[in-house]
């Protein structure tokens, strides 16, 4: 394995001097942000009053990030590169902020933080200070698409950014602590999915500074030969740059970057020359430098530089300990700020010669503010893909199977701006029509019998939800569109990633220069009520509860009851901006209730009365049967049918909910139904039996402020499941039609006595259905083959 540096050209002395000066300036600005309230250029000796009362931030990774940033600037100018940077060590926030100020972008975005002494003072004060900016590479930072506060996602974000950006180079710094996470470990496999003929390039830079917060890092302590074999086996040609002498490291890193970029150019030229596209061995860099490099070597007699003690704030008692204060001043002056900043506090001319200008600056690259390059999708008219519903309940068709041809044509109409992501479940979730126009992205070995694998594939399948999520986030954050389809139970794997993206969306709404992104769209199928064959391990609808915890302005949850409403819902979601949309829909054959016209109207309302299924027209209902989700809708309608046949005088109102957030008051969510409208539909005093797809307590949580909440009774998933039949699954959780009728009898005032016989029949019907499954291994045809027949309903008054 070749790990030699192999310089393509030597670094000129003038370039070396400029790089080192820029690096020192960025280090100075980084330390200033962590410590200083005033006296930014040390025109006077430091005093305790110049120091922040709360010292927050992270020094340890910052000098390495500053080094990498400076060297990337050099090659961007030399090669006129279109490049961006993803920083995995988010704790290096002050380093990236320092570089954006040196480049001028920070001052362009935030005019009060000018490139002079007064602006430098504001730059220092705002960092990790009340009313200022966070300590990570947050959304406030120009050029950032990745905060890095939670480790593990940098490399997948970088690859997501590179997809369909053929001229883009995405440099990605991976901290050696981050490299220990499962998501990052899986991300190395992204080389199998990157097409050098049509995608950009990712240059991973594994920064081994040796330590996490309190422990050594694994990859820094295993034999280097083992590490290089791991990386080589993942599809990379690793080059090692190591040392603690700045001059030597500058020369080695410059030569290695040149070699890596030459190899990337050669790979892309080869792939774009019309030959067979195969998986290349991409270059990457392993950078070994001391943690906290150029900071205090020792503090109070204990080694700091090159140890875990440099991770955060090396000198923690600067206000109260004169020795610490003196050491801080020595540290700051070691960068020779008088050589770096002129009399006004602006960077000297030599520093301004290193970075690129305009959009070539990594902090100003338009793709890092994805909304500025985002273009609307070309969407086919979803109305042409629906099912013809002449009578409610007919025909039988799986909702996602109906959606599949529309997704296929979305892919065909948007060959550079839309991708479908999923963990080996696109076909399982009945979206396999996509393969009529595209393949699964794949540049590794192919053998006869493989199914739709190819380098130009628009379907991204890998058995890692983390990787699918990270790719899609990187793709969205740089101005494109996509859908993530998954089994409902296992989308929980990315709960924490969703948290971070939701926080990003929430924060960027308040940053004027950040433009809205395409929404993050989840399509969850193989859901809890149709995982009877796989059993309890596959039964969990709780992702909805997790999503609803996020800020109301960024989350939307939809549960379309049939194929036509799913089509209308997905069209809406793909047109939306700056949201997280969660859509839950079934894939198994099921009744279709609404014509396309009705489905569009119902989807726009978000919830509404289904008059054809109700018997209360012109009068107040005795009971409201509400439902949300495809299987709960089926059971609620079957219950309404039983009530009509056995209690024809009972006035039943059936309400279906598509947009779950309509249940909240308007004061709590933008989609919330105003109280007067909610009361009109659900009444102020009548019994409401609610059949819900997920955990029933979520409905109570969403409606607890509503007038009639005390009369609301919810049935849903109660964490009861096993390998069984579809109807036995709903019976296990008391969501079945017979139990819903029992609930009506038990809870509608005055009904229990006169409906006692019917109640007993419902209890017996449940037992009979259970006995049938235990004897024959399938559901009773009287249950499984039930259909809504409009003629059974009496004429409404």
């Amino acid at each position: 394995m070749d790990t030699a540096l192999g310089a393509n050209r030597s670094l000129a002395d003038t370039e070396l001097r400029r790089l080192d000066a820029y690096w020192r300036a960025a280090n100075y600005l980084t330390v200033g942000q962590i410590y200083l309230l005033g006296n930014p250029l040390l025109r006077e000796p430091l005093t305790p009053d110049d120091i922040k009362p709360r010292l927050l931030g992270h020094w340890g990774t910052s000098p390495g990030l500053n080094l990498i940033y400076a060297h990337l600037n050099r090659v961007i100018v030399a090669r006129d590169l279109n490049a961006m940077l993803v920083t995995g060590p988010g704790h290096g926030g002050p380093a990236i902020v320092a570089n954006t100020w040196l480049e001028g972008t920070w001052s362009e975005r935030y005019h009060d933080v000018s490139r002079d002494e007064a602006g430098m003072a504001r730059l220092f004060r705002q960092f990790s200070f009340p009313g200022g900016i966070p300590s990570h590479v947050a959304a406030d930072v120009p050029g950032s698409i990745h905060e890095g506060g939670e480790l593990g996602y940098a490399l997948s974000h970088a690859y997501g950014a590179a997809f369909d950006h053929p001229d883009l180079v995405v440099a990605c710094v991976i901290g050696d602590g981050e490299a220990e996470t499962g998501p990052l470990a899986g991300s190395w496999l992204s080389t199998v999915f990157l097409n050098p003929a049509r995608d950009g390039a990712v240059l991973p830079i594994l920064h081994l500074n040796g330590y996490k917060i309190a422990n050594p890092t694994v990859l820094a302590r295993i034999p280097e030969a083992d590490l290089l074999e791991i990386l080589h086996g993942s599809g990379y040609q690793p080059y090692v740059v190591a040392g603690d002498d700045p001059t030597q490291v500058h020369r080695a890193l410059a030569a290695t970057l040149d070699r890596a970029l030459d190899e990337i150019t050669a790979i892309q030229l080869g792939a774009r020359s019309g030959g067979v596209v195969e998986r290349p061995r991409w270059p990457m860099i392993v950078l070994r430098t001391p943690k906290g490099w150029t900071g205090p070597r020792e503090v109070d007699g204990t080694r700091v530089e090159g140890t875990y003690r440099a991770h955060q704030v090396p000198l923690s008692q600067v206000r109260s300990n004169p020795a610490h204060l003196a050491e801080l001043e020595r540290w700051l002056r070691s960068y020779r700020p008088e050589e770096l900043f002129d009399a006004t506090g602006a960077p000297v001319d030599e520093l301004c010669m290193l970075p690129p200008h305009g959009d070539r600056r990594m902090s100003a690259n338009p793709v890092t503010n994805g909304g500025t390059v985002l273009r609307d999708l070309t969407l086919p008219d979803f109305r042409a893909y629906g099912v013809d519903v002449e009578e409610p309940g007919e025909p039988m068709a799986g909702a996602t199977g109906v959606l599949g041809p529309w997704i296929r044509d979305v892919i065909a109409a948007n060959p550079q701006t839309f991708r479908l992501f999923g963990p080996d479940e696109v076909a399982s979730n009945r979206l396999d029509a996509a393969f009529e126009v595209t393949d699964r992205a794949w540049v590794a070995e192919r053998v006869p019998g493989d199914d739709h694998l190819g380098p130009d594939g628009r379907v991204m399948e890998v058995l890692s939800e983390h990787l699918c999520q990270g790719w899609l986030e990187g793709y969205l954050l740089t101005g494109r569109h996509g859908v993530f389809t998954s089994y409902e139970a296992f989308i929980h794997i990315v709960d924490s990633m969703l948290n971070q993206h939701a926080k990003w969306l929430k924060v960027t709404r308040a940053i004027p220069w950040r433009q809205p992104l395409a929404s993050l769209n989840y399509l969850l199928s193989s859901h809890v009520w149709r995982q009877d064959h796989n059993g309890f391990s596959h039964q969990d609808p709780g992702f909805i509860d997790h999503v609803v915890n996020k800020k109301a302005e960024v989350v939307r949850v939809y549960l379309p009851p049939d194929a036509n409403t799913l089509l209308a819902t997905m069209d809406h979601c793909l047109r939306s901006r700056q949201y997280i949309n969660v859509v839950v829909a079934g894939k198994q054959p099921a009744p279709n209730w609404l014509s396309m016209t009705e489905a569009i109207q119902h989807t726009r309302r978000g919830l509404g009365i289904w008059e054809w299924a109700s018997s209360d027209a012109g009068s107040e209902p005795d009971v409201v049967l509400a439902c949300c989700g495809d299987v709960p809708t089926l059971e609620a309608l079957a219950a309404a049918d039983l009530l009509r046949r056995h209690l024809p005088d009972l006035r039943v109102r059936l309400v279906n909910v598509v947009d779950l957030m309509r249940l909240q008051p308007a004061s709590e969510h933008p989609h919330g139904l105003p109280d007067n409208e909610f009361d009109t539909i659900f009444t102020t005093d009548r019994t409401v039996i609610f059949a819900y797809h997920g955990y029933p307590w979520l409905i109570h949580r969403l409606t607890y402020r509503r007038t009639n909440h005390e009369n609301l009774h919810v049935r849903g998933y109660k964490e009861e499941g096993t390998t069984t039949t579809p109807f036995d699954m709903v019976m296990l959780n008391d969501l079945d039609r017979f139990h819903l009728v029992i609930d009506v009898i038990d809870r509608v005032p005055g009904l229990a006595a006169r409906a006692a016989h019917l109640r007993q029949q419902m209890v017996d019907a449940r037992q009979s259905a259970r006995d049938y499954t235990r004897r024959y291994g399938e559901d009773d045809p009287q249950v499984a083959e039930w259909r809504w027949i409009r003629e059974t309903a009496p004429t409404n008054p």
Side-chain angles (χ1 to χ4, degrees):
M1 183 182 302
D2 181 11
T3 60
L5 295 181
N8 293 314
R9 66 181 181 85
S10 60
L11 188 65
D13 289 342
T14 54
E15 290 181 307
L16 173 61
R17 185 177 65 251
R18 190 174 298 149
L19 278 168
D20 191 67
Y22 190 96
W23 181 49
R24 286 187 286 116
N27 285 338
Y28 180 86
L29 294 170
T30 299
V31 180
Q33 288 176 79
I34 294 172
Y35 283 98
L36 297 185
L37 267 181
N39 197 7
L41 286 171
L42 305 183
R43 298 192 189 279
E44 303 292 338
L46 279 182
T47 69
D49 290 340
D50 295 326
I51 308 302
K52 294 180 178 181
R54 300 172 71 239
L55 298 179
L56 305 171
H58 297 77
W59 165 246
T61 190
S62 293
L65 290 177
N66 287 331
L67 179 78
I68 292 165
Y69 208 105
H71 279 261
L72 287 172
N73 275 343
R74 180 189 72 84
V75 294
I76 289 170
V77 171
R79 297 165 180 261
D80 191 28
L81 285 183
N82 178 20
M84 58 175 286
L85 176 65
V86 176
T87 50
H91 284 153
I96 305 304
V97 171
N99 282 279
T100 64
W101 188 84
L102 282 172
E103 290 182 329
T105 318
W106 192 278
S107 299
E108 291 170 11
R109 300 296 189 198
Y110 306 101
H111 296 160
D112 61 323
V113 185
S114 48
R115 293 176 80 209
D116 54 24
E117 184 173 5
M120 188 187 297
R122 294 188 183 97
L123 185 81
F124 290 176
R125 183 183 184 91
Q126 70 181 6
F127 178 78
S128 285
F129 200 79
I133 63 171
S135 64
H136 294 172
V137 190
D140 311 74
V141 181
S144 172
I145 68 163
H146 173 95
E147 179 156 340
E150 182 178 334
L151 301 178
Y153 313 134
L155 195 54
S156 62
H157 283 168
Y159 275 96
F163 294 143
D164 295 321
H165 271 148
D167 67 333
L168 183 66
V169 175
V170 186
C172 179
V173 184
I174 302 151
D176 47 357
E178 178 178 31
E180 297 175 9
T181 66
L184 197 286
S187 296
W188 295 116
L189 301 177
S190 297
T191 56
V192 172
F193 305 89
L194 188 77
N195 181 353
R198 66 176 297 166
D199 297 329
V202 174
L203 177 62
I205 303 171
L206 176 60
H207 187 203
L208 297 180
N209 61 30
Y211 292 89
K212 306 185 285 283
I213 294 175
N215 284 288
T217 55
V218 173
L219 296 187
R221 291 293 181 92
I222 65 174
E224 186 169 281
D226 290 354
L227 170 63
L228 298 181
E229 286 181 4
I230 291 170
L231 299 173
H232 193 268
S234 296
Y236 298 93
Q237 176 59 60
Y239 296 108
V240 179
V241 175
D244 60 3
D245 178 85
T247 298
Q248 292 180 0
V249 172
H250 280 309
R251 292 192 183 281
L253 182 55
T256 305
L257 269 175
D258 281 329
R259 177 170 184 170
L261 291 167
D262 285 347
E263 290 184 7
I264 287 172
T265 299
I267 288 169
Q268 291 179 333
L269 286 175
R272 296 170 187 181
S273 63
V276 176
V277 176
E278 296 178 331
R279 182 190 183 203
R281 192 167 298 284
W282 294 95
M284 67 165 293
I285 296 172
V286 177
L287 177 64
R288 287 185 182 269
T289 58
K291 195 173 186 79
W293 195 17
T294 72
R297 294 181 62 84
E298 293 184 354
V299 176
D300 298 332
T302 301
R303 181 65 183 261
V304 172
E305 185 187 56
T307 77
Y308 67 88
R309 298 179 185 89
H311 183 78
Q312 292 177 291
V313 180
L315 297 162
S316 59
Q317 302 171 30
V318 184
R319 276 196 157 198
S320 58
N321 186 325
H324 283 203
L325 181 65
E327 177 63 19
L328 173 61
E329 184 165 352
R330 186 209 62 78
W331 178 12
L332 285 164
R333 292 191 186 279
S334 73
Y335 298 120
R336 306 193 297 278
E338 66 279 1
E339 299 176 6
L340 307 173
F341 306 101
D342 65 20
T344 71
V348 297
D349 290 344
E350 186 174 26
L351 293 187
C352 296
M353 295 171 66
L354 180 71
H357 299 285
D359 289 350
R360 281 295 191 245
R361 294 172 295 178
M362 291 186 290
S363 58
N365 193 317
V367 300
T368 64
N369 186 8
T372 63
V373 297
L374 181 66
R375 297 295 179 266
D376 292 342
L377 288 171
T378 299
L379 294 179
D381 185 352
F382 66 92
R383 297 167 182 82
Y385 297 79
V387 296
D388 292 329
V389 178
E390 296 183 1
E391 290 291 335
E394 297 292 345
M396 297 286 287
T400 58
V402 173
L403 178 70
W406 184 75
I407 292 289
R408 172 200 64 202
D409 293 349
V410 172
I411 292 172
N414 302 276
Q416 296 178 319
T417 56
F418 178 87
R419 294 198 183 207
L420 180 61
F421 300 78
D424 196 29
E425 293 161 1
V426 168
S428 176
N429 282 333
R430 308 295 193 267
L431 300 176
D432 46 314
F435 300 125
E436 297 171 16
V437 297
T438 190
D439 293 324
R440 297 172 175 90
W442 188 266
V443 295
E445 180 187 9
R446 283 172 280 165
V447 301
D450 284 340
D451 182 33
H452 290 98
L453 298 181
D456 294 325
R458 311 298 298 164
V459 175
M460 312 300 296
E461 281 198 321
V462 61
L463 200 52
S464 165
E465 286 83 358
H466 286 124
L467 198 45
C468 291
Q469 174 88 13
W471 284 344
L472 177 54
E473 287 181 358
Y475 201 63
L476 298 175
L477 287 159
T478 51
R480 280 75 61 76
H481 307 256
V483 171
F484 184 177
T485 181
S486 177
Y487 281 22
E488 181 185 44
F490 303 131
I491 197 65
H492 272 300
I493 293 170
V494 300
D495 278 0
S496 194
M497 296 185 77
L498 175 137
N499 287 349
Q500 297 301 314
H501 193 74
K503 292 174 188 295
W504 184 278
L505 294 179
K506 186 261 184 186
V507 169
T508 54
R509 281 175 170 265
I511 300 175
W513 55 268
R514 286 278 184 186
Q515 297 301 304
L517 304 168
S519 296
L520 172 56
N521 299 304
Y522 293 98
L523 175 59
L524 307 184
S525 194
S526 301
H527 62 56
V528 58
W529 302 110
R530 288 297 181 263
Q531 279 296 313
D532 43 87
H533 60 298
N534 277 324
F536 195 39
S537 65
H538 285 55
Q539 297 161 359
D540 188 336
F543 188 69
I544 294 173
D545 301 63
H546 176 66
V547 170
V548 171
N549 287 332
K550 304 300 110 184
K551 291 294 290 186
E553 61 262 33
V554 301
V555 295
R556 306 287 186 268
V557 179
Y558 302 98
L559 293 102
D562 67 0
N564 287 341
T565 50
L566 175 60
L567 281 162
T569 298
M570 290 304 298
D571 180 82
H572 166 76
C573 290
L574 288 187
R575 295 179 189 277
S576 69
R577 298 287 183 269
Q578 205 75 359
Y579 297 141
I580 294 174
N581 295 313
V582 178
V583 182
V584 183
K587 67 181 185 182
Q588 302 295 350
N592 284 275
W593 308 109
L594 303 179
S595 69
M596 183 55 75
T597 299
E598 292 168 333
I600 293 170
Q601 186 179 49
H602 187 50
T603 302
R604 288 171 176 169
R605 289 173 178 157
L607 62 79
I609 300 168
W610 282 3
E611 296 180 4
W612 53 267
S614 303
S615 56
D616 68 323
S619 61
E620 196 168 22
D622 297 312
V623 63
V624 176
L625 268 181
C627 48
C628 182
D630 54 359
V631 169
T633 297
L634 171 63
E635 293 304 310
L637 284 165
D641 183 42
L642 287 166
L643 291 168
R644 285 181 154 189
R645 287 190 283 114
H646 293 282
L647 297 172
D649 295 332
L650 187 71
R651 294 167 298 185
V652 178
R653 175 178 295 174
L654 194 134
V655 177
N656 183 263
V657 179
V658 180
D659 181 350
L660 190 65
M661 312 320 292
R662 295 289 272 168
L663 297 177
Q664 282 193 291
S667 60
E668 298 298 313
H669 194 281
H671 283 198
L673 203 62
D675 285 334
N676 64 319
E677 295 182 37
F678 190 93
D679 291 345
T680 298
I681 293 173
F682 288 94
T683 78
T684 59
D685 59 356
R686 299 305 168 104
T687 298
V688 180
I689 306 298
F690 200 124
Y692 172 55
H693 172 86
Y695 291 104
W697 36 89
L698 178 60
I699 301 301
H700 287 291
R701 174 182 158 196
L702 296 176
T703 60
Y704 81 98
R705 291 187 177 183
R706 298 298 192 176
T707 304
N708 197 29
H709 179 254
E710 65 178 15
N711 289 318
L712 175 65
H713 308 282
V714 187
R715 293 293 177 185
Y717 183 66
K718 301 191 300 184
E719 205 68 22
E720 294 291 342
T722 185
T723 302
T724 186
T725 65
F727 190 70
D728 194 51
M729 181 64 191
V730 293
M731 284 202 299
L732 285 171
N733 292 275
D734 296 335
L735 185 64
D736 61 281
R737 61 199 67 178
F738 304 128
H739 206 289
L740 294 176
V741 171
I742 291 170
D743 282 336
V744 170
I745 295 170
D746 288 349
R747 299 186 183 279
V748 173
L751 189 57
R754 65 186 179 93
H757 297 282
L758 177 60
R759 191 186 194 285
Q760 182 170 289
Q761 290 176 34
M762 296 297 100
V763 173
D764 292 345
R766 280 170 56 84
Q767 188 59 54
S768 176
R770 176 69 49 79
D771 292 343
Y772 192 98
T773 64
R774 299 305 185 267
R775 182 175 183 181
Y776 297 105
E778 61 182 355
D779 284 325
D780 186 338
Q782 294 185 56
V783 171
E785 297 174 9
W786 173 87
R787 298 291 184 271
W788 179 272
I789 300 175
R790 189 187 295 268
E791 286 74 18
T792 63
T795 303
N796 287 333

